[in-house]
Amino acid sequence: MDIVSLVERCRSGDALAWEALVRAHQGRVYAVAWHYMRSPEEARDAAQDVFIRVYRKLDTFRGGDTFLPWLLRLARNVCLDRLREKAARPPASDLPVEEGPQIAAEGPSPEDSAETEGRKRLLYRALDRMSEKGREMILLKEIQGLALEEISSLLGLPVGTVKSRSNRARLELASAIRRLDPGYGAAGGSE
């Protein structure tokens, strides 16, 4: 089913259509939320807030092919709002990691694919060392797979600026990976 008819069914109160819409996009929304929030629990909360906002704002959505950028813009805005609130109200006391709640990991365990996990760890470490603009560009273009025009619309930037930021971000990521693991890529990666 195409996104336009799915959204129309959601607008008319079809609970199954809403469930299908959420299931189809929850992974991407969570990925964006995790990128900003850097915590599984906070990312899940933010993703839930995103879908609440989507449900309330479905009437403002116009057009079929632009749903994903519209959704990701909402996700980005929700996360930025939550980060602003968090900065305005710092926690009274921080819990040491050992005392915090233990959250079961979802999906396959690291033992299932050590090489893939090693690459992911290297990628995440490299992403953490990137500038915020570079990290955001890698997330939107390379991880979420958005087109330059969609990113341009989402960020409110000219396509040329998005293109140059994308190229700089890829170079920045490659440089960060080489700094973290100088032998990576020479013989298929060292992790």
Side-chain angles (χ1 to χ4, degrees):
M1 172 180 300
D2 67 271
I3 194 69
V4 174
S5 55
L6 190 60
V7 168
E8 285 306 316
R9 286 180 51 198
C10 289
R11 285 177 178 159
S12 67
D14 185 336
L16 292 176
W18 173 249
E19 184 178 339
L21 184 77
V22 170
R23 285 183 187 268
H25 296 92
Q26 66 187 0
R28 284 186 156 184
V29 168
Y30 177 81
V32 169
W34 187 89
H35 163 76
Y36 287 101
M37 307 311 295
R38 296 293 196 201
S39 156
E41 184 176 306
E42 289 187 37
R44 280 193 292 273
D45 290 346
Q48 187 175 20
D49 286 352
V50 169
F51 284 108
I52 290 170
R53 195 174 290 186
V54 167
Y55 188 79
R56 290 179 180 158
K57 292 184 175 252
L58 268 179
D59 290 335
T60 66
F61 169 68
R62 303 284 181 247
D65 293 335
T66 61
F67 181 77
L68 185 59
W70 179 80
L71 173 66
L72 295 180
R73 182 180 303 115
L74 281 175
R76 178 178 184 259
N77 291 341
V78 164
C79 291
L80 292 176
D81 289 347
R82 290 176 72 93
L83 288 171
R84 278 187 215 106
E85 287 175 14
K86 189 176 177 182
R89 292 182 286 121
S93 64
D94 291 334
L95 283 177
V97 174
E98 302 82 37
E99 295 176 24
Q102 300 299 314
I103 300 172
E106 296 178 12
S109 67
E111 295 82 23
D112 293 342
S113 179
E115 183 177 337
T116 301
E117 290 301 315
R119 288 179 182 167
K120 283 182 185 178
R121 282 192 303 272
L122 178 61
L123 175 64
Y124 290 138
R125 286 179 24 225
L127 284 169
D128 282 342
R129 293 173 184 228
M130 292 179 66
S131 67
E132 188 62 34
K133 287 179 181 178
R135 188 170 41 246
E136 182 174 55
M137 194 57 59
I138 292 293
L139 171 78
L140 295 174
K141 185 169 187 302
E142 306 301 334
I143 297 174
Q144 293 295 330
L146 294 181
L148 294 173
E149 294 77 16
E150 293 171 322
I151 297 170
S152 169
S153 171
L154 188 133
L155 298 178
L157 297 170
V159 174
T161 302
V162 170
K163 190 181 286 188
S164 65
R165 278 192 188 177
S166 174
N167 288 333
R168 279 194 304 264
R170 292 177 79 196
L171 291 172
E172 184 182 358
L173 177 61
S175 177
I177 288 172
R178 280 192 302 271
R179 280 192 310 271
L180 288 168
D181 187 353
Y184 187 81
S190 63
E191 279 197 51

